[in-house]
Structure formats: structure tokens, C-alpha cells
């Protein structure tokens, strides 16, 4: 069920955008979600609120998204035949992770409306292409060089300088698949690492393995930031407040919103996200990650063409959640307001936090402004994202106090005592 209507122009459309027919997918239709994790689950819940039906594909029959979907397909995520079966029952297909194999993306696009497009996926799957795209759009990036061989590594270090970071071009996620080089003594060990372990960092990371790398100069950042932006097929955009993110062991730990940065920094970060969404002709929600240095210089690091962990706060703290926004935009509907209702702090709950969370539920749920989300994963493995907590309050300081109370209840023995 989808209807073609001429697009209307909007104030946020770039001037070059000409009206073109756009497929609108109305409530009652079926949205397909490739991947069954928590991002799919929260997207599915938002879709069901709006009267859509949801079909999902994941290798695990009881995956978080499958638990709340109308139709479940159980197959590996790179099974093109299964993807085609999913597409056959859907009016539009989206995904909750970016490393959709190219043949699967092609199979989906042959059989259904797919948003965002495989072109956007392809940029996000490869760090070299991603950084080149940022640079072409005039977004500030740390000096970088693609590396595929030892001579290229030696030459690139000469250009980029020390300290620098060698990352797999594809396959890395949550800080995996990267190696620091502090000086010439690290060169040969970094290359040994690259040639032995440097590729294939899991099936949810940036694409499939290949001996391709990117060497990046170190950004001496004081804050890590992110911005969620939504764009519909008509070219209308909506950008969220900037989040300040704290990672532990390469995994997002806390998001603080609004980020404690100047208004100028926040609006520049938002403008970069909007420019990227237009530049990619992206449809759906995307999350852009940035670094901020002590002298207020911003660098764009990477993006994900889907709802983002650092945007979970939008469920309670914004007029329109990132998940509802994803549904609206992939269905060709108007974007919703991104206004912040209350400051918020989000804390991720990992496998090692779950037993203490369960044991302290009575106290946890009495923390002022707390909202608990649990994703329904059966096995609470260490560092696995199992749920999150969002605390909304009158100020960031109060929200941080609530987050500290939650953290005191759930933190594992080897976690630091301070939440942020
Ligand atoms: P990424 O996989 O690109 O998100 O990187 C994971 C983490 O490594 C980031 O959250 C940063 O803490 C750090 N990092 C990545 N790239 C750089 C860089 N160019 N300079 C400094 N730190 C970096």
C-alpha cells in the first residue's frame, strides 16, 4: 500500500531540489525492518503506535524486534532470498544496522521501496568513502589517508603525523578494529596487527573484511558529541539537540542532553548533520558523531544511517522520538518537532548491570524522572547492550544526579563510581 503524490517544497529543502513524486506509505501498511535488535524493536513500537504493521528479519527467532513484530522471518542477515521474502510482504523496508551486504540491499531494492537507499549504506559501510564524502561536503575531518600496503602506511604517517590511529576501513564498530601509533617504533607492530587481525571485526560492524585501512590523525578532543537528523523523501529535515557522549571501553555509556557546549558549537554541529543528510539525499534518521577540541573546533568522525544509541533520550525528552521520526520519514510523512521538552541523561545498561538492576528495581524505579527500557534479550553477556535508563529533569545537573543514583544501584564492581 503506497500512493504517489507530488512533493511539496519546504523551507529546509535545498534550493536545487525540484518537486518530484514521492511514495507515501500510510498507517495500515507494513514496514519491514532488516535486523532484529533494540533499534528495530523501538522503531517497531513507534510504528505500531502509528498503526503500521511490522515485519522483521533476524537469525534469532526471539530477537528484541521479533518479539514486537507482526511477521517474523528467521534467517541470516546476508540471506538475499530471505530478504526478498521480507520485501514481498512490505510496503517499505528499512534496517536497523548499516552493514547490510550489497547483494541483500540489491535484492531488497528490486522487490520493494527501501529507505534509506543502498547508496547511503555504501558510504556508511566504508570509513574511507565516508571521510571522502564528508570532505567533499565541506565537513571538517581530521587529516586522513587510505592505506592498503606497508609502503602506503609509511608514506601516510609522513603526511598525517604522530599520534595517529589506524582503523579498518570496514568491519570495525564500538572502537574495535583500530590501533594507535604514537611514534615510529609502533609502525611495524601496527602493520603486523593490521595484516593479522585488522579485518573482519564482527558482523555488525562496518561491512565485510578486506585489507583496507584508514590512517587518521588524533583529534585532541575534550568532548564527543552527536546529532540526530531526520530527512524525508521530499527533502524536509528536522535536527535534534546535540548530545554529549561518554564512552567506556569503546561502548557508549552516557548521553547528556543538551550537550554542555556553546550555542555556536551546537548550531554548527546541527548544521553539519543537516548538510550531510541533504548531501547524501538520505531518507530516514541518521546519527552523526563529532569531536570537539578545547578551542571549540569541531571534527566530524562518522555517521550511522539509522536511529542511534545516543538518540534514545528523544523517546521521553523530545516532542517526536527518533524512532517515530524514522517511521515518519521512511514513510514519506512530514517530519515532527524535535523540540526538547526536558534536559535528559541516558545511561546504557550492559550485561554486567542486569542482575543488580533486577535486584534494585524497587529503588531504581523511584528515582525522580527515571524511565527504564529493557530490550528482551535472553542472554546478559558482558558489554552487551541490554537496556537503558533515561532520566529527565529540570536541568542537566539534576538529570545527572538522577543518573548517579541509578548508577549507584546498577554499576558492576569494576565500573568507576562516577556515572559521568
Ligand atoms: P570510531 O570507531 O571511529 O567511532 O572510534 C571509536 C573511538 O575511538 C571514538 O569514540 C574516539 O574515542 C576514538 N577515536 C576515533 N577516531 C579518533 C581520532 N581521529 N582521534 C582521537 N580519537 C579517536
Amino acid at each position: 500500500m503506497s500512493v504517489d503524490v507530488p512533493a511539496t517544497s519546504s523551507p529546509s529543502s535545498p534550493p536545487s531540489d525540484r518537486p518530484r513524486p514521492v511514495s507515501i506509505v500510510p498507517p495500515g501498511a507494513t514496514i519491514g525492518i532488516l535486523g532484529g535488535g533494540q533499534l528495530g524493536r523501538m522503531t517497531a513500537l513507534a510504528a505500531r503506535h502509528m498503526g503500521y504493521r511490522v515485519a522483521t528479519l533476524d537469525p534469532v527467532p526471539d530477537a528484541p524486534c521479533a518479539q514486537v513484530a507482526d511477521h517474523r522471518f528467521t534467517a541470516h542477515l546476508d540471506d538475499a532470498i530471505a530478504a526478498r521474502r521480507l520485501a514481498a510482504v512490505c510496503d517499505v523496508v528499512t534496517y536497523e544496522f548499516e552493514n547490510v551486504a550489497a547483494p541483500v540491499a540489491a535484492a531488497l531494492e528490486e522487490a520493494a521501496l527501501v529507505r534509506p537507499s543502498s547508496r547511503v549504506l555504501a558510504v556508511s559501510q566504508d570509513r574511507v568513502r565516508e571521510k571522502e564524502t564528508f570532505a567533499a561536503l565541506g565537513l571538517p575531518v581530521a587529516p586522513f589517508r587510505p592505506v592498503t600496503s606497508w609502503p602506503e602506511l609509511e608514506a601516510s604517517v609522513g603526511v598525517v603525523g604522530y599520534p595517529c590511529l589506524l582503523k579498518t576501513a570496514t568491519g570495525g564498530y564500538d572502537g574495535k578494529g583500530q590501533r594507535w601509533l604514537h611514534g615510529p617504533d609502533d609502525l611495524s607492530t601496527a602493520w603486523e596487527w593490521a595484516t593479522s587481525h585488522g579485518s573482519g571485526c564482527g558482523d555488525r560492524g562496518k561491512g565485510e573484511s578486506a585489507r583496507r585501512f584508514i590512517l587518521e590523525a588524533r583529534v585532541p578532543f575534550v568532548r564527543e558529541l552527536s546529532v540526530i537528523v531526520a530527512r524525508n523523501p521530499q527533502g524536509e529535515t528536522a535536527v535534534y539537540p546535540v548530545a554529549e557522549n561518554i564512552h567506556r571501553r569503546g561502548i557508549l555509556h552516557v548521553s547528556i542532553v543538551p550537550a554542555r557546549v556553546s550555542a555556536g558549537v551546537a548550531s554548527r554541529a546541527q548544521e553539519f548533520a543537516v548538510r550531510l543528510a541533504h548531501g547524501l539525499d538520505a531518507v530516514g534518521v541518521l546519527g552523526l558523531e563529532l569531536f570537539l577540541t578545547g578551542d571549540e573546533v569541531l571534527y566530524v568522525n562518522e555517521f550511522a544511517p539509522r536511529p542511534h544509541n545516543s538518540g534514545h533520550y528523544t523517546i521521553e525528552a523530545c516532542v517526536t522520538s527518533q524512532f517515530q521520526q524514522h517511521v515518519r520519514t521512511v514513510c514519506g510523512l512530514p517530519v515532527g518537532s524535535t523540540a526538547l521538552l526536558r534536559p535528559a541523561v541516558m545511561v546504557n545498561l550492559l550485561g554486567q548491570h542486569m542482575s543488580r538492576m533486577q535486584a534494585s528495581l524497587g529503588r531504581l524505579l523511584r528515582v525522580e524522572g527515571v524511565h527504564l527500557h529493557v530490550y528482551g534479550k535472553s542472554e546478559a553477556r558482558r558489554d552487551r547492550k541490554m537496556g537503558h535508563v533515561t532520566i529527565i529533569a529540570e536541568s542537566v545537573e539534576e538529570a545527572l544526579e538522577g543518573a548517579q543514583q541509578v548508577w549507584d544501584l546498577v554499576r558492576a564492581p569494576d565500573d568507576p563510581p562516577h556515572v559521568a
Side-chain angles (χ1 to χ4, degrees), residues 127 130-131 142-143 165 167 172-176 178 180 206 216-221 224 247 250 289 291 301-302:
R127 288 185 193 278
E130 187 179 41
K131 285 264 157 46
L165 191 53
K167 300 179 180 176
Y173 70 107
D174 278 349
K176 295 185 174 66
Q178 39 184 268
W180 282 103
K206 283 191 183 289
E216 285 180 24
R218 179 176 70 94
V219 177
F221 63 81
E224 293 195 69
H247 296 86
E289 297 181 24
F291 300 132
N301 181 36
E302 64 174 358

Side-chain angles (χ1 to χ4, degrees), residues 316-373:
E316 288 89 12
C318 292
V319 172
T320 312
S321 79
Q322 64 165 346
F323 301 103
Q324 186 194 132
Q325 203 76 270
H326 193 64
V327 171
R328 284 176 177 241
T329 46
V330 302
C331 290
L333 303 177
V335 295
S337 163
T338 54
L340 187 70
L341 301 168
R342 294 279 191 87
V345 172
M346 192 258 356
V347 184
N348 266 337
L349 298 175
L350 307 180
Q352 60 270 35
H353 303 136
M354 294 310 277
S355 58
R356 291 202 66 210
M357 187 279 283
Q358 302 276 9
S360 62
L361 261 182
R363 276 183 291 164
L364 188 148
L365 289 173
R366 284 196 179 84
V367 172
E368 184 75 24
V370 76
H371 295 266
L372 173 67
H373 296 255

Side-chain angles (χ1 to χ4, degrees), residues 31-48 53-74 77 86 94-97 204 323 326-327 374-378 384-386:
I31 301 175
I33 303 177
L34 194 74
Q38 63 270 17
L39 300 176
R41 178 188 178 96
M42 289 182 272
T43 303
L45 291 171
R48 293 189 74 150
R53 293 187 178 278
V54 176
T56 182
L57 188 156
D58 194 85
V60 180
D62 189 39
C65 183
Q67 293 170 23
V68 301
D70 300 272
H71 311 283
R72 298 155 203 86
F73 294 86
T74 305
L77 295 170
L86 171 80
T94 188
Y95 31 77
E96 58 114 46
F97 74 113
R204 295 183 75 85
F323 301 103
H326 193 64
V327 171
V374 177
Y375 306 144
K377 297 181 184 177
S378 50
R384 187 177 197 203
K385 290 174 183 170
M386 300 296 291

Side-chain angles (χ1 to χ4, degrees), residues 117-411:
S117 69
S118 58
R119 204 185 129 256
V120 176
L121 274 181
V123 175
S124 75
Q125 285 176 354
D126 184 308
R127 288 185 193 278
V128 175
R129 218 179 295 152
E130 187 179 41
K131 285 264 157 46
E132 285 170 352
T133 303
F134 290 155
L137 291 170
L139 302 177
V141 288
F144 70 93
R145 277 283 182 283
V147 169
T148 56
S149 65
W150 167 252
E152 268 180 22
L153 177 62
E154 280 189 304
S156 300
V157 160
V159 177
V160 165
Y162 294 106
C164 54
L165 191 53
L166 186 64
K167 300 179 180 176
T168 54
T170 60
Y173 70 107
D174 278 349
K176 295 185 174 66
Q178 39 184 268
R179 183 95 181 188
W180 282 103
L181 284 84
H182 300 284
D185 291 350
D186 293 335
L187 254 187
S188 54
T189 46
W191 189 244
E192 260 167 49
W193 165 83
T195 48
S196 53
H197 316 281
S199 48
C201 296
D203 61 2
R204 295 183 75 85
K206 283 191 183 289
E208 278 314 303
S209 63
R211 294 278 148 86
R212 297 177 54 250
F213 302 87
I214 184 168
L215 189 75
E216 285 180 24
R218 179 176 70 94
V219 177
F221 63 81
V222 291
R223 295 225 194 285
E224 293 195 69
L225 307 176
S226 61
V227 183
I228 311 293
V229 61
R231 183 173 181 274
N232 69 11
Q234 296 87 337
E236 193 187 10
T237 58
V239 64
Y240 283 91
V242 179
E244 173 185 337
N245 301 318
I246 299 170
H247 296 86
R248 297 237 166 105
R249 292 191 307 281
I251 302 166
L252 182 66
H253 164 52
V254 162
S255 293
I256 301 167
V257 189
R260 294 165 295 179
V261 298
S262 68
V265 165
S267 65
R268 252 186 298 143
Q270 290 175 313
E271 191 271 313
F272 292 161
V274 172
R275 203 189 308 173
L276 177 66
H278 282 314
L280 291 169
D281 196 17
V283 173
V285 158
L286 66 83
L288 178 65
E289 297 181 24
L290 309 99
F291 300 132
L292 177 68
T293 66
D295 45 4
E296 299 218 321
V297 178
L298 279 168
Y299 292 89
V300 166
N301 181 36
E302 64 174 358
F303 82 101
R306 52 164 169 77
H308 195 263
N309 192 169
S310 70
H312 292 357
Y313 78 90
T314 61
I315 298 175
E316 288 89 12
C318 292
V319 172
T320 312
S321 79
Q322 64 165 346
F323 301 103
Q324 186 194 132
Q325 203 76 270
H326 193 64
V327 171
R328 284 176 177 241
T329 46
V330 302
C331 290
L333 303 177
V335 295
S337 163
T338 54
L340 187 70
L341 301 168
R342 294 279 191 87
V345 172
M346 192 258 356
V347 184
N348 266 337
L349 298 175
L350 307 180
Q352 60 270 35
H353 303 136
M354 294 310 277
S355 58
R356 291 202 66 210
M357 187 279 283
Q358 302 276 9
S360 62
L361 261 182
R363 276 183 291 164
L364 188 148
L365 289 173
R366 284 196 179 84
V367 172
E368 184 75 24
V370 76
H371 295 266
L372 173 67
H373 296 255
V374 177
Y375 306 144
K377 297 181 184 177
S378 50
E379 208 189 324
R381 290 194 299 271
R382 183 174 169 80
D383 286 348
R384 187 177 197 203
K385 290 174 183 170
M386 300 296 291
H388 72 268
V389 160
T390 299
I391 294 99
I392 56 168
E394 292 303 320
S395 65
V396 159
E397 293 69 31
E398 273 177 43
L400 277 168
E401 278 169 29
Q404 183 64 52
Q405 290 173 39
V406 170
W407 189 236
D408 289 340
L409 295 172
V410 304
R411 74 184 156 85

Side-chain angles (χ1 to χ4, degrees), residues 18-32:
R18 282 211 213 100
R20 57 193 173 205
V22 165
S23 292
I24 306 262
V25 180
T30 302
I31 301 175

